[in-house]
Amino acid sequence: MTGLSLASQGRRVPPVRPEYERTVATTGPIGDVARPLSPWERVGNVTALRRFAVLAAVALLWQIAATWQNNPLMFPTFTATVTALWEAIWRENLLSMAWVSLSVLLKGYAIAVVLAVLLTSFAVSTRIGNDVLSTLTSMFNPLPAIALLPIAMLWFGLGAVSLTFVLVHAVLWPLALNTHAGFTSVSETLRMAGRNYGLSGIRYVVTMLIPAAFPAILTGLKVGWAFAWRTLIAAELVFGVSSGKGGLGWFIFQNRNELYIDKVFAGLVTVILIGLVVENVVFRWIETHTVRKWGMVR
């Protein structure tokens, strides 16, 4: 009726769009999930290759900046540093110096881990333990470990014992804070489940709290490892001045005095390489076989 009335009034009637159906000629994978990955995407999915690309970019920027500055006494090139590192390994026993540093660091690190576990276990078990941990961390965590080195030298003399003392101080408090934060973040449901199974004391901590809080504990272990390296190198610089021996810190100090700046950078690169290995091999293995296996992180 509307169309007829419009036509009778002399108005133009809009055409009716015809209906039609299109047939699909070929069918293929639908969505990105079914789409085969390109070679570039496959390479990009490899974590090791991505991180190696970052290191290569840093080395390239280093080489360009040092070449542009053209002052080896202040900033040697990347190639000169690699050459000095190779010569130090084969001619100056750099690996043995690195092992001296690592042996002292691992000893202090292990002692700090044990003390942190005992202190935080006491803190989550009793109120007085919580007060003790809070008070001690407030007192000693802001105190730089290197500031205790003169006291350590006075108490224990020149040697590995003094280094171990300052390393324990550097690692203990950040690790204890992270561990305690992980323990307190465990849900009350899990706590009640552990108590219903009859867990108490050290069994309650080891079998229930530590696995539930392990992401925070692992973060504390990484932070403590970094603090330990900083403290060790700084302390070895002082011990190198005092007793003429040491590990990587002494190697860096000695070559700095002799203005072998490329060897100084070689010592720093050695510390970086050890850190990369520990982070991407040791801690990565621990993370893969614990929190990732348990589905606690993505």
Side-chain angles (χ1 to χ4, degrees), residues 152-159 161-162 239:
M153 295 171 63
L154 182 63
W155 288 351
F156 308 110
L158 300 177
V161 178
S162 297
F239 275 93

Side-chain angles (χ1 to χ4, degrees), residues 96-112 159-168 171 225 228-229 231-233 235-236 239 246-247:
S96 62
M97 292 183 179
W99 174 246
V100 170
S101 297
L102 268 176
S103 61
V104 176
L105 186 145
L106 291 175
K107 185 186 300 182
Y109 190 79
I111 295 174
V161 178
S162 297
L163 288 175
T164 304
F165 176 79
V166 294
L167 284 174
V168 170
V171 177
W225 178 261
W229 264 117
T231 303
L232 177 65
I233 298 302
E236 281 186 343
F239 275 93

Side-chain angles (χ1 to χ4, degrees), residues 35-59:
R35 179 177 61 84
L37 298 177
S38 64
W40 176 253
E41 290 174 328
R42 293 179 182 179
V43 171
N45 286 334
V46 181
T47 304
L49 291 178
R50 295 198 309 269
R51 297 186 178 183
F52 180 79
V54 173
L55 293 177
V58 172

